[in-house]
Amino acid sequence: MRGEVGGWLLATAAAGAGAVWLWRHQDEVMTRRPVNEWTFTHMNLLMPAEDVRRGGQVFPLPRRMRPLEATYGFAGRERSLAELHARTNTTSFVVLHGGEIVHESYPGRFAGPGVRFQMFSMTKSVTSMLIGIALDEGAIKDVTEPVTVYCPELAGSAFDGVSIEHLLDMSSGVGDLEIYTARDALINRFARAATGGGSLHEVVASAERSTEAGTRFNYSTIDTQVLGWVLESATGHSLAQYATARLWSRIGAEHDAYYWLTRKHPRTAIGGGSLNATARDLARLGLLMSRGGQLNGQRIVPEAWVARSRGRGVPHLEVGALGPSGYPHYGYSNQWWTLGGERRPFTAVGIHGQYLYVDPDADVVIVKTSAWPTADDPSRDAESITALRAVADHLNG
């Protein structure tokens, strides 16, 4: 009997220790393959969430399906899209040409047309769209305003003196390199606070200045989190409420989207990474940007804001000039990655392989969601961008 009780106590202690370990490492477990194919499509079952409501009328995306025989050259050989999906863990792939769906596939085991995918940092580009709308409405006066006008609680922190424009350009000069493999990196402390019940404000306020604002690109989810707080303060609405009223209800979305929220009260969305939406509705966002901020006969995003998102000639943000915080094939502007070249396509990008690729001159929009085994992967990213360019070139003919 004594042995049975001892065994039960040991088992209970082990289970308790396992639960504690799982709680402390939940952000790591959720992003590992093959678990991440499920978590990236079920975030609202794992975290608190706030809906972003669609409107009453769906904007049609006519289906003109045909074989998409584009190939791309990578690592010394020509490859097919089937190889792309296998090599880069694609979960959904939707291609629009001329506003029509010409290709749609869902290689992910939990994926489908009605499934909402975790966008990760593609969320940043949506936050930018909302900032542009708020500026146009006058809720935010000017991008040159200091962020402390809207977030006075950041006075005295490294963000004191940083402007909204600095945040839009990832040039705040605050924080370190966003390295997911370093457990004590600022981004990982931020992620643990979001999912584990910590304080995002404490993490953000603890960030240190690394360089003068406006002089160097340093990719930072913290910058976009502050942008989200600026937007919420300026409008008096949560990100989900403002996105519902000014964006999602107006693009003719098929499905509600949602932001997952922090566990700690007051719960807040991650303006740089917690929006979830279907691939088709992401394609509608891309179509909106491709058409200069207009969709279905209505102006939604200011045309000048869309133009700004394709690049505006800032030297340290040009393609190839981003330094250690960006890959050589990218530039950056307005929370979008720019790609230069004659047609000047631009793309939203999220960790683990999420893309919203927009080529207005070719009238092509491509959505690719993925479940990479790691957050960042230079080779998978280079291959994905090469393939997306090739698809746009193929359709442009």
Side-chain angles (χ1 to χ4, degrees):
M1 183 69 172
R2 198 174 291 171
E4 290 178 12
V5 172
W8 179 83
L9 288 173
L10 284 172
T12 302
V20 170
W21 183 92
L22 186 61
W23 175 259
R24 289 177 177 172
H25 297 265
Q26 60 182 299
D27 51 322
E28 301 168 36
V29 174
M30 287 193 297
T31 57
R32 292 176 182 169
R33 284 193 62 81
V35 176
N36 61 3
E37 285 209 34
W38 186 87
T39 55
F40 293 174
T41 52
H42 294 83
M43 288 300 296
N44 57 335
L45 300 183
L46 299 167
M47 297 291 294
E50 185 176 1
D51 285 339
V52 179
R53 300 288 187 182
R54 68 181 185 89
Q57 188 174 3
V58 173
F59 178 76
L61 295 175
R63 292 170 61 84
R64 299 286 186 269
M65 304 290 285
R66 56 183 182 268
L68 187 57
E69 297 174 350
T71 61
Y72 63 99
F74 189 78
R77 57 174 290 240
E78 203 69 14
R79 300 181 184 275
S80 68
L81 292 181
E83 288 179 277
L84 171 74
H85 300 330
R87 289 166 55 85
T88 64
N89 311 111
T90 302
T91 52
S92 74
F93 197 74
V94 176
V95 181
L96 303 186
H97 186 215
E100 299 176 343
I101 298 177
V102 297
H103 177 87
E104 183 175 29
S105 60
Y106 295 92
R109 65 188 77 182
F110 302 103
V115 171
R116 295 176 292 186
F117 297 88
Q118 161 70 328
M119 292 170 55
F120 290 108
S121 289
M122 285 202 294
T123 306
K124 294 178 171 69
S125 302
V126 177
T127 298
S128 170
M129 295 167 76
L130 297 174
I131 290 282
I133 294 168
L135 279 159
D136 190 55
E137 292 183 336
I140 296 173
K141 291 183 176 59
D142 195 274
V143 294
T144 61
E145 287 185 292
V147 299
T148 48
V149 169
Y150 300 94
C151 300
E153 68 276 10
L154 292 177
S157 76
F159 285 98
D160 202 338
V162 171
S163 72
I164 294 170
E165 184 169 64
H166 292 147
L167 298 179
L168 288 164
D169 288 343
M170 294 291 188
S171 300
S172 69
V174 179
D176 51 18
L177 286 176
E178 198 159 285
I179 302 173
Y180 284 84
T181 54
R183 182 161 178 80
D184 289 330
L186 182 63
I187 183 58
N188 286 328
R189 291 196 288 119
F190 180 85
R192 288 195 297 273
T195 60
S199 168
L200 292 191
H201 278 281
E202 287 180 9
V203 174
V204 171
S206 75
E208 298 180 356
R209 175 157 297 285
S210 57
T211 191
E212 182 184 351
T215 62
R216 181 169 64 87
F217 176 81
N218 183 51
Y219 184 78
S220 173
T221 297
I222 308 299
D223 279 8
T224 319
Q225 186 63 30
V226 176
L227 267 184
W229 289 339
V230 166
L231 185 68
E232 290 183 328
S233 174
T235 64
H237 297 288
S238 71
L239 283 181
Q241 290 167 346
Y242 196 69
T244 293
R246 301 301 193 271
L247 188 63
W248 216 254
S249 64
R250 304 181 69 197
I251 64 168
E254 289 182 56
H255 297 274
D256 293 344
Y258 68 89
Y259 288 92
W260 61 260
L261 309 175
T262 57
R263 295 192 190 278
K264 184 179 178 64
H265 291 274
R267 288 176 170 152
T268 183
I270 309 301
S274 72
L275 187 60
N276 291 248
T278 68
R280 288 181 187 170
D281 287 338
L282 292 175
R284 288 178 170 88
L285 283 184
L287 191 61
L288 172 65
M289 294 298 284
S290 181
R291 294 185 172 174
Q294 283 188 299
L295 198 64
N296 204 21
Q298 59 178 334
R299 166 67 58 193
I300 300 174
V301 178
E303 185 175 16
W305 196 254
V306 175
R308 178 190 176 98
S309 302
R310 297 180 73 180
R312 63 186 200 283
V314 178
H316 72 274
L317 301 178
E318 290 290 274
V319 174
L322 299 183
S325 193
Y327 298 142
H329 49 275
Y330 287 129
Y332 202 80
S333 187
N334 224 31
Q335 302 278 302
W336 290 81
W337 299 90
T338 61
L339 291 160
E342 184 178 349
R343 295 202 306 266
R344 298 174 61 233
F346 58 118
T347 186
V349 179
I351 57 171
H352 294 279
Q354 325 310 319
Y355 298 88
L356 174 56
Y357 184 95
V358 183
D359 187 336
D361 292 3
D363 206 1
V364 171
V365 172
I366 307 171
V367 175
K368 180 189 188 308
T369 64
S370 316
W372 291 356
T374 56
D376 292 318
D377 189 315
S379 179
R380 281 188 175 92
D381 178 77
E383 182 164 0
S384 297
I385 287 296
T386 299
L388 299 182
R389 279 186 181 273
V391 170
D393 290 345
H394 173 78
L395 291 170
N396 194 47

